[in-house]
């Protein structure tokens, strides 16, 4: 009987050992699954944070690009206005200079005519001469 009792005890011990092993394996599997899910959640959070950072950087770059374009446009407009102003000033200066040169040339012409005696002497002659030559004296 001792051997029957020993067999029974051994079988009982084996059953308890298998049950304990199955419980431990179940716990290990459950812990592995929990670790896997936790890692997956952390990876997803890191991915989301990276995407948000990239989007934020992209928006800042676009904003700076827009400001740079606006500034360049303003500078271009200012340059255009300065050039137009300079053109207008130059045009007025050249016109004044041309009128002065024309007046000096007419004065020189009159001086030469007086020197050679070709200038009209009286008012009537000036009017007649002006009417024929299209000039005012």
């Amino acid at each position: 009987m001792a051997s029957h009792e020993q067999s029974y005890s051994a079988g009982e011990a084996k059953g308890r050992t298998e049950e304990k092993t199955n419980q431990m394996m179940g716990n290990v599997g459950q812990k592995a699954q929990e670790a896997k899910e936790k890692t997956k959640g952390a990876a997803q959070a890191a991915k989301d944070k990276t995407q948000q950072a990239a989007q934020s950087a992209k928006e800042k770059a676009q904003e700076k690009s827009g400001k740079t374009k606006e500034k360049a446009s303003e500078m271009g407009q200012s340059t255009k206005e300065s050039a137009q102003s300079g053109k207008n000033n130059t045009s007025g200066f050249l016109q004044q200079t041309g009128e002065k040169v024309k007046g000096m040339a007419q004065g020189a012409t009159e001086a030469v005519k007086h020197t050679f005696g070709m200038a009209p002497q009286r008012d009537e002659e000036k009017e007649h001469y002006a009417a024929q030559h299209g000039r005012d004296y």
Side-chain angles (χ1 to χ4, degrees):
M1 283 257 220
S3 77
H4 183 41
E5 252 181 68
Q6 285 177 340
S7 270
Y8 179 78
S9 289
E12 202 173 68
K14 182 180 176 189
R16 281 193 302 257
T17 304
E18 286 178 3
E19 188 177 333
K20 278 270 196 200
T21 303
N22 287 339
Q23 285 177 351
M24 289 175 66
M25 292 300 285
N27 286 342
V28 169
Q30 184 179 356
K31 295 222 186 244
Q33 184 65 30
E34 288 172 2
K36 179 180 172 183
E37 289 173 8
K38 187 175 180 180
T39 303
K40 183 179 177 182
Q44 185 63 40
K47 179 182 174 184
D48 293 344
K49 190 172 182 179
T50 302
Q51 286 177 340
Q52 288 173 350
Q55 183 65 28
S56 177
K58 181 180 176 182
E59 288 170 1
K60 285 180 182 178
Q62 286 175 340
E63 182 180 327
K64 285 185 179 185
S65 175
K67 286 180 181 179
T68 301
K69 286 178 183 178
E70 185 178 320
K71 189 79 167 175
S73 176
E74 288 172 4
M75 290 175 67
Q77 184 64 29
S78 176
T79 302
K80 182 179 176 182
E81 290 169 1
S82 294
Q84 185 63 38
S85 176
K87 181 180 174 183
N88 293 342
N89 290 343
T90 302
S91 175
F93 174 76
L94 291 176
Q95 185 177 2
Q96 289 175 352
T97 303
E99 290 173 4
K100 287 180 183 177
V101 169
K102 181 179 173 183
M104 290 170 54
Q106 286 177 344
T109 301
E110 292 302 317
V112 170
K113 286 181 182 179
H114 280 292
T115 301
F116 290 111
M118 296 172 53
Q121 299 297 323
R122 296 186 307 234
D123 287 339
E124 298 148 7
E125 290 176 357
K126 285 183 183 179
E127 289 175 12
H128 176 68
Y129 185 81
Q132 286 190 353
H133 297 302
R135 296 187 180 155
D136 292 328
Y137 287 97

